[in-house]
Amino acid sequence: MFGYVRPVKDELKVRELNEFRAFYCGVCTSLHKARYLAKFFLSYDSVFFALLLTSLKGKKLEYKRRFCGIELRNISYFESEEIKLAAGNFLLLLKYKLFDDVEDERNFAKALLLKVFKDIPPVQPSVEFRLQALLKELNELEKRREPSIDKTAEVFGDIVSLFFENFQDLPSEQITILVHLAKHLGKWIYALDAFDDLRRDLKKGNYNPFVTQYGFSSGMDVEEFVDSIRPEVRKYLFRVLDEVVLAYNLLELKTYKGILDNIVYLGLFDETERVLSGRKTCGRVHRA
């Protein structure tokens, strides 16, 4: 489930790193309680969601402790409504990702996993109907091999922004800014993931908007093609990131701002360059 929205760990203070780990383990704990297997799919993106909402509401969370069966030791974690909401939304997206994968790939293992997740009730019932419609729109664009990265990324941005619209306890102008940030963050995630998967999609013949937009044809050298489009992809990604940063600068953040600043000002740019250059990255933050 992507996982590009992450901090630059080495630039965090020790306290901030511990807090980020507690948010990560908090979302993981919430998933553990809802559907145990879901914790193995957890990505950093949902942790950012929990951090952002917590900061906007000005909450400062208290550490809790539990034994982690994966780490085989006691861990510190946070627990809050915002973290539960992040976990619930992650479960909803995971369910529909599995639906899509089973339909596209006829994957037996994922079909079995879907049986575990398909009856999960949404934590925001009003969101699920709109999510289904947007996922259908995105699926149709991909099936007809839409040649514009911006059209497909726009729909994915709308999907991400869905989860940021219904927070009545935040000022309306802050919600508007939050939705703008989420929409462009979703566009960035979609485009970055498309470039990340480019070589694999070319090899398998899968749809990829960059393949259709820039006209790859059989007989072309894959690496030459990737190198030739990289400058234009970089321009697109950073143009979208500019909108994320502009919106972020207008948010009234009250807690955990150091972690969020790290993610937005450093992490997103580092991930962009990492994917563009083809560098690999590490796994979960608490195993780093």
Side-chain angles (χ1 to χ4, degrees):
M1 296 289 287
F2 307 109
Y4 299 116
V5 187
R6 61 176 70 204
V8 177
K9 180 173 64 76
D10 292 344
E11 297 296 331
L12 288 172
K13 297 175 182 176
V14 173
R15 171 183 54 79
E16 291 170 340
L17 180 58
N18 289 335
E19 288 170 341
F20 184 80
R21 284 171 169 160
F23 270 98
Y24 186 100
C25 292
V27 178
C28 185
T29 298
S30 190
L31 290 174
H32 175 105
K33 293 176 180 178
R35 290 290 190 280
Y36 182 81
L37 287 176
K39 65 192 297 175
F40 295 102
F41 296 91
L42 176 59
S43 72
Y44 292 89
D45 309 332
S46 55
V47 181
F48 177 74
F49 178 93
L51 263 164
L52 196 54
L53 290 185
T54 302
S55 179
L56 285 166
K57 294 182 180 181
K59 291 186 177 181
K60 191 72 176 175
L61 306 180
E62 298 291 329
Y63 285 104
K64 294 190 174 186
R65 298 279 290 173
R66 73 170 179 86
F67 181 78
C68 175
I70 296 175
E71 294 289 307
L72 298 177
R73 62 180 177 86
N74 287 322
I75 58 158
S76 296
Y77 71 100
F78 290 146
E79 186 175 71
S80 70
E81 288 304 312
E82 292 73 29
I83 287 172
K84 290 178 184 175
L85 182 60
N89 287 336
F90 175 79
L91 280 171
L92 184 61
L93 284 171
L94 177 59
K95 177 172 73 171
Y96 283 100
K97 176 70 167 61
L98 288 170
F99 269 125
D100 189 54
D101 287 350
V102 169
E103 183 179 328
D104 289 348
E105 303 171 15
R106 307 296 178 186
N107 187 299
F108 178 71
K110 288 183 178 178
L112 288 177
L113 274 174
L114 183 58
K115 292 181 181 293
V116 177
F117 296 115
K118 69 178 181 179
D119 63 338
I120 293 171
V123 288
Q124 294 174 287
S126 61
V127 167
E128 185 162 17
F129 178 77
R130 294 173 63 199
L131 175 64
Q132 289 174 325
L134 285 168
L135 286 170
K136 181 180 178 182
E137 182 181 351
L138 181 60
N139 187 257
E140 288 172 352
L141 285 171
E142 292 178 340
K143 280 185 175 178
R144 69 169 185 251
R145 296 184 173 256
E146 167 59 46
S148 169
I149 179 63
D150 204 50
K151 284 188 178 180
T152 46
E154 184 88 8
V155 178
F156 191 80
D158 288 337
I159 289 170
V160 174
S161 67
L162 272 181
F163 300 103
F164 291 82
E165 291 177 358
N166 301 312
F167 301 105
Q168 303 305 321
D169 48 350
L170 292 177
S172 59
E173 65 273 11
Q174 287 290 290
I175 295 174
T176 300
I177 295 165
L178 196 57
V179 169
H180 185 83
L181 182 152
K183 181 181 178 70
H184 286 84
L185 187 65
K187 289 180 68 172
W188 174 81
I189 289 170
Y190 186 90
L192 191 69
D193 188 61
F195 191 81
D196 208 7
D197 289 344
L198 185 55
R199 291 176 180 83
R200 186 184 67 183
D201 289 339
L202 284 168
K203 182 178 179 181
K204 293 186 175 182
N206 296 339
Y207 166 75
N208 188 299
F210 290 123
V211 173
T212 50
Q213 179 162 325
Y214 292 104
F216 180 86
S217 58
S218 59
M220 293 179 69
D221 181 82
V222 170
E223 289 306 317
E224 285 182 5
F225 175 75
V226 172
D227 289 342
S228 71
I229 71 170
R230 186 179 286 111
E232 290 303 313
V233 175
R234 175 179 275 108
K235 286 179 188 176
Y236 179 82
L237 288 168
F238 280 107
R239 187 164 65 246
V240 175
L241 270 187
D242 282 346
E243 291 296 318
V244 174
V245 173
L246 287 170
Y248 177 78
N249 289 339
L250 296 173
L251 291 175
E252 296 171 1
L253 302 172
K254 298 164 185 172
T255 52
Y256 306 109
K257 190 173 184 300
I259 306 172
L260 288 165
D261 284 353
N262 179 295
I263 294 171
V264 173
Y265 297 139
L266 301 177
L268 299 183
F269 290 89
D270 185 71
E271 279 295 283
T272 303
E273 292 297 346
R274 179 189 69 78
V275 171
L276 286 168
S277 67
R279 283 189 287 119
K280 302 297 181 184
T281 190
C282 62
R284 299 181 175 195
V285 70
H286 56 272
R287 292 184 176 181

